[in-house]
Amino acid sequence: MAFLRAASEILAIYTMVYAIFSPAVLEAQSLSLAPAPAPSSDGTSIDQGIAYVLMLVALVLTYLIHPFDASSL
């Protein structure tokens, strides 16, 4: 008799858990996947960043080389 009572309690708990979570599972399965978003950069910002770095390097080199050039006069 105790076995039947334990089995019915387990069945009742399983039924409650299934009743709570089955709508969420069915809802999640019915959702379709959205398409991937478009890329946020087409490469121009990367090119512009590289250009800024190269200009900064050129500026630093100019000011490093300029004192040597002026001292030789």
Side-chain angles (χ1 to χ4, degrees), residues 2-3 6 22 41-42 55 57 73:
F3 174 73
S22 66
S41 172
D42 58 356
M55 286 192 306
V57 168
L73 290 177

Side-chain angles (χ1 to χ4, degrees), residues 3-25:
F3 174 73
L4 290 177
R5 181 179 170 139
S8 65
E9 288 176 359
I10 291 173
L11 183 62
I13 291 172
Y14 175 76
T15 305
M16 285 181 16
V17 169
Y18 180 77
I20 291 171
F21 290 111
S22 66
V25 170

Side-chain angles (χ1 to χ4, degrees), residues 62-73:
T62 301
Y63 281 108
L64 285 176
I65 294 173
H66 183 68
F68 296 123
D69 189 31
S71 65
S72 64
L73 290 177

Side-chain angles (χ1 to χ4, degrees), residues 23-67:
V25 170
L26 293 175
E27 177 89 19
Q29 289 177 353
S30 68
L31 295 176
S32 62
L33 296 177
S40 60
S41 172
D42 58 356
T44 55
S45 60
I46 296 171
D47 291 342
Q48 190 174 11
I50 292 171
Y52 281 139
V53 169
L54 290 175
M55 286 192 306
L56 182 64
V57 168
L59 184 66
V60 168
L61 286 176
T62 301
Y63 281 108
L64 285 176
I65 294 173
H66 183 68

